[in-house]
């Protein structure tokens, strides 16, 4: 029964036919019992009516569809009613999942949204709802994005809504992909950037805490992503801290590519690459544990000077080199790496391999400081969760670098104490560690 | 044996190890026998060495990979050797196909290339080679695109080469996706645009004729796409004219979306939508044969005034509306429609349905003038070919409009007679019929 797929909390029915009124009432009653959600402020949310006749002989009030939508509602053709269970092609599909994307009018999202809609990420039997978060300034662009999603006719993309209030957009989301962040203005220090973006992520954490699924998975892409993720999770105590990720997958992918190039092999031969620490220039691409064709990368490449002195720089300078060539930042491959990050959580990790993700340090086996978001090697059995990999080698070279990126993350944490509920901020970031080509 | 997957014609071996020298010689001898190709000019082509040991213990001369490439060669990690047949995960894969994309540094390609590489288009067991055609001016951007493709680690993307000479880039391609075209300059008439782009497509047709696979499929996206496709096929007499397509799939997708919006149904209920004629404002989105939930669209929508007077305009003004909202042209949904167009040729058309494509009129059952490229309803059994649909209704309303778009295409054809080998051009295009939002 498709009703069970949704748990709308407040109603402003999008039902296009009066025949659903009794159903709507029933659902409202049901939702009044749903007291677990600590709603922090009243707001109008939409109700999807996924139970509808497919009697196209009786087309429903089309004039409603042409009405302009208020700023937190379904968009265009995605407002129509449907019933997946009633159709031969869709009745075996999984339950619809809600995916929020912030910065939805930006270039990374412009790649990512279509990948999500195509089925490439969650599979060919996983219908999805996309909930696009933008800003007042970008609202028209959000509409443009939604129009292009309409014109793409993706069967799995069942619902699209656009909005500028995270308390609306994050309603019931199972995934929140937080891409939007303020770029660094001219002359802005990293501390300033941390503060301005930290405030955004504190607000979004609060909104997730209030309205998202209790087991929502959150991937933070907007920079500085590790500390933004920390702020976000600290403001969402009702969602497990383990569910928050800072994206270091693009760094991992770039590291794999550079190792493949150096070894003269195709990139599918490279595995077990960890990015340790912060998504910044203190990050540590780990060649010690990396494998090429199943063998230690060091034994294959046999060029320690390159590994210790050039490899990391090659990974880190990639974004800047790309901007120089292409004239724009690497939106496409960033979107691919977000897809990879999600797929790594929803499909079992290949035997013996792992993936990198910036995750909350709580009982980690590497001796890394607790209570920060640190990129580490993870494995998943495909249920959305992960565990840390235990059998990695950490030698003196690696440990020294890990300590440096750890120190930076601890400093960043002190810098945003006012946003994590830990008192007054004290900001002593010594240098600019923003990766080249990133904002 | 993987060697059979490639038919290199000239050699500039990309072999990274001397152990392949005897193999290279064997292949060269073989290729001297390959006299079918009417090579029009000598040029250096690359030879892929797809037979390689996977003995990563012996990494092959990495310094060669760092060398700058000349302008028609493999890129970076895609220059390395591999052997799909030797690997457990890849040995059941199909034979690699070569796909050329022109305008490869542009925004449509920036979406399309990653879709091709992901497996979304040709399936999860179809390895591909992408051959990117750009211009001297865009060469650095092409490198940037190739770098992002490297960083995406797509297992199916086995080869990427970049170049600015279609005689190099189109070598052995099974698909040519011709997106690149000159935008209309200030004050340029449609006749001027036809001429300037016609020359590009005449040249590309000649190049395809000289070096592409004898059964290459060609999809022309660059505007004015119908007449560009006609010019292209006229210059490629050794490739079946039936293999050339002008993209009208975005128009079809938009038409489906507008019918769904009007009927208040989800877009997956709309089928059998034909775009007739030219990809211009004379195009005819066909609501007479269209179906909604299996019923005639007219019977469902019951608003002839809307269908006859507003529907077409809504479809055609979509691109312009989108630019206004989003600030950029609709690259993402155009790329999606190119994916749809290809998939419609490589997967069987669902029973009773069809798709639109601008194809060469040669024995068409609708009474449309022969020897032009006209969008019509097609079906495919999934082998890359198609047949025209016979059981469509054409009433007076539809016929009148079809005649108008036909007249326009005949006029465009007269305009480019100097490019199709049919004498002197005579250009009497009465009005500007460029679709809003397109260049």
């Amino acid at each position: 029964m498709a009703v069970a797929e949704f748990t709308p909390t407040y109603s402003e029915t999008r039902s296009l036919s009066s025949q659903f009124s009794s159903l709507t009432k029933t659902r409202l009653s049901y939702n009044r019992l749903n007291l677990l959600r600590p709603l922090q402020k009243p707001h109008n949310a939409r109700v999807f009516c996924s139970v509808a006749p497919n009697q196209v002989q009786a087309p429903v009030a089309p004039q409603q569809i042409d009405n302009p939508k208020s700023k937190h509602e379904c968009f265009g053709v995605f407002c129509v009613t449907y019933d997946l269970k009633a159709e031969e092609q869709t009745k075996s599909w999984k339950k619809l999942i809600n995916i929020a994307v912030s910065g939805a009018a930006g270039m990374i999202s412009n790649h990512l949204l279509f990948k999500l809609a195509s089925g490439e990420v969650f599979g060919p039997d996983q219908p999805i709802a996309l909930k696009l978060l933008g800003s007042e300034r970008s609202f028209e662009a959000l509409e443009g994005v939604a129009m292009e999603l309409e014109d793409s006719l993706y069967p799995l993309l069942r619902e699209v809504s656009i909005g500028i209030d995270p308390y609306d957009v994050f309603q019931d989301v199972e995934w929140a992909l937080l891409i939007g962040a303020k770029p660094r203005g001219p002359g802005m220090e990293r501390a300033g950037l941390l503060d301005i973006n930290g405030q955004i992520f504190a607000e979004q954490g609060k909104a997730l805490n209030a309205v998202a699924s209790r087991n929502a998975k959150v991937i933070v892409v907007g920079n500085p992503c590790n500390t933004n993720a920390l702020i976000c999770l600290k403001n969402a105590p009702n969602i497990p801290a383990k569910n928050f990720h800072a994206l270091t997958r693009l760094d991992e992918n770039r590291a794999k590519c550079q190792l493949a190039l150096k070894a003269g092999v195709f990139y599918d031969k490279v595995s077990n690459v960890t990015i340790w620490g912060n998504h910044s220039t203190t990050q540590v691409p780990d060649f010690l544990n990396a494998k090429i064709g199943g063998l230690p990368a060091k034994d294959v490449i046999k060029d320690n000077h390159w590994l210790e002195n050039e490899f990391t720089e090659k990974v880190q300078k990639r974004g800047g080199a790309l901007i120089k060539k292409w004239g724009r930042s690497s939106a496409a491959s960033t979107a691919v790496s977000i897809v990879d990050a999600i797929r790594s959580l929803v499909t079992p990790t290949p035997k013996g391999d792992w993936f990198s993700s910036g995750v909350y340090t709580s009982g980690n086996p590497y001796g890394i400081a607790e209570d920060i978001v640190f990129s580490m090697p993870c494995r998943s059995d495909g249920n959305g969760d992960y565990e840390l990999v235990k059998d990695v080698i950490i030698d003196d070279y690696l440990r020294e670098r890990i300590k440096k990126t750890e120190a930076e993350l601890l400093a960043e944490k002190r810098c945003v104490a006012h946003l994590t509920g830990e008192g007054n901020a004290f900001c002593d970031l010594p240098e600019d560690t923003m990766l080249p080509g990133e904002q």
Side-chain angles (χ1 to χ4, degrees), chain A residues 14 72 83 89 124 249 258 269 283 304 321 327 331 369 384 395 417:
Chain A
R14 299 295 317 148
H72 56 276
D83 179 6
Q89 313 92 291
R249 189 56 172 268
Q258 292 306 314
K269 296 280 169 290
Q283 69 178 197
N304 248 19
D395 64 4

Side-chain angles (χ1 to χ4, degrees), chain A residues 144-301:
Chain A
V145 172
M147 286 166 72
E148 283 209 83
L149 288 168
E150 280 186 314
D151 291 342
S152 297
L153 310 180
Y154 282 119
L156 290 165
L157 180 60
R158 288 286 153 168
E159 295 168 14
V160 173
S161 60
I162 60 180
I164 59 173
D165 182 345
Y167 285 86
D168 294 326
V169 175
F170 292 164
Q171 189 76 42
D172 299 319
V173 298
E174 280 102 11
W175 288 86
L177 311 174
L178 306 183
I179 298 168
K182 287 239 191 269
R184 185 161 48 172
M188 189 188 287
E189 298 285 320
R190 188 169 171 90
L193 189 74
L194 273 164
D195 183 58
I196 196 166
N197 277 313
Q199 291 181 40
I200 293 171
F201 286 86
E203 171 77 357
Q204 294 187 358
K206 287 189 178 79
L208 287 166
N209 200 53
V211 299
S213 157
R214 297 302 79 189
N215 196 28
K217 306 294 185 290
V218 183
I219 298 180
V220 177
V221 180
N223 280 320
C225 65
N226 291 55
T227 297
N228 286 343
L230 182 72
I231 293 166
C232 199
L233 72 87
K234 290 283 181 183
N235 284 278
N238 294 333
I239 297 173
K242 203 183 174 186
N243 291 14
F244 290 76
H245 298 259
L247 186 80
T248 53
R249 189 56 172 268
L250 180 57
D251 308 300
E252 177 188 324
N253 288 356
R254 287 172 171 173
K256 282 179 169 164
C257 183
Q258 292 306 314
L259 290 174
L261 272 163
K262 180 67 179 171
V265 300
F266 195 61
Y267 44 59
D268 67 345
K269 296 280 169 290
V270 185
S271 65
N272 303 80
V273 173
T274 307
I275 301 295
W276 294 96
N278 202 1
H279 177 72
S280 76
T281 55
T282 65
Q283 69 178 197
V284 187
D286 175 355
F287 56 83
L288 179 65
N289 292 285
K291 290 181 182 168
I292 298 177
L295 298 167
K298 284 181 83 162
D299 295 353
V300 175
I301 287 178

Side-chain angles (χ1 to χ4, degrees), chain A residues 360-374:
Chain A
Y360 186 62
T361 52
S362 172
N364 76 84
Y366 319 114
I368 292 159
E370 301 291 352
D371 202 33
I372 52 178
V373 170
F374 200 92

Side-chain angles (χ1 to χ4, degrees), chain A residues 365-432:
Chain A
Y366 319 114
I368 292 159
E370 301 291 352
D371 202 33
I372 52 178
V373 170
F374 200 92
S375 184
M376 300 185 284
C378 305
R379 289 183 51 82
S380 176
D381 62 8
N383 64 355
D385 210 346
Y386 67 88
E387 55 188 29
L388 297 177
V389 176
K390 292 197 174 60
D391 52 340
V392 292
I393 312 158
I394 300 184
D395 64 4
D396 289 344
Y397 174 92
L398 202 52
R399 182 162 314 276
E400 185 194 323
R401 276 149 190 79
I402 285 175
K403 281 288 158 202
K404 194 176 163 199
T405 194
E406 178 196 76
E408 180 180 57
L409 280 166
L410 289 168
E412 287 191 14
K413 185 183 166 188
R414 288 191 295 274
C415 232
V416 298
H418 60 304
L419 298 168
T420 56
E422 286 163 28
N424 293 327
F426 168 71
C427 222
D428 61 343
L429 294 169
E431 53 185 327
D432 186 357

Side-chain angles (χ1 to χ4, degrees), chain A residues 5 83-95 125:
Chain A
E5 296 182 13
D83 179 6
L84 296 179
K85 291 294 168 203
E87 305 283 325
E88 197 53 46
Q89 313 92 291
T90 60
K91 68 183 181 190
S92 64
W93 284 3
K94 293 177 187 161
K95 207 174 103 173
D125 59 350

Side-chain angles (χ1 to χ4, degrees), chain A residues 298-315:
Chain A
K298 284 181 83 162
D299 295 353
V300 175
I301 287 178
K302 290 178 183 149
D303 182 349
N304 248 19
H305 183 267
W306 183 87
L307 286 168
E308 295 192 356
N309 298 287
E310 294 180 40
F311 166 56
T312 300
E313 196 174 298
K314 280 208 177 274
V315 174

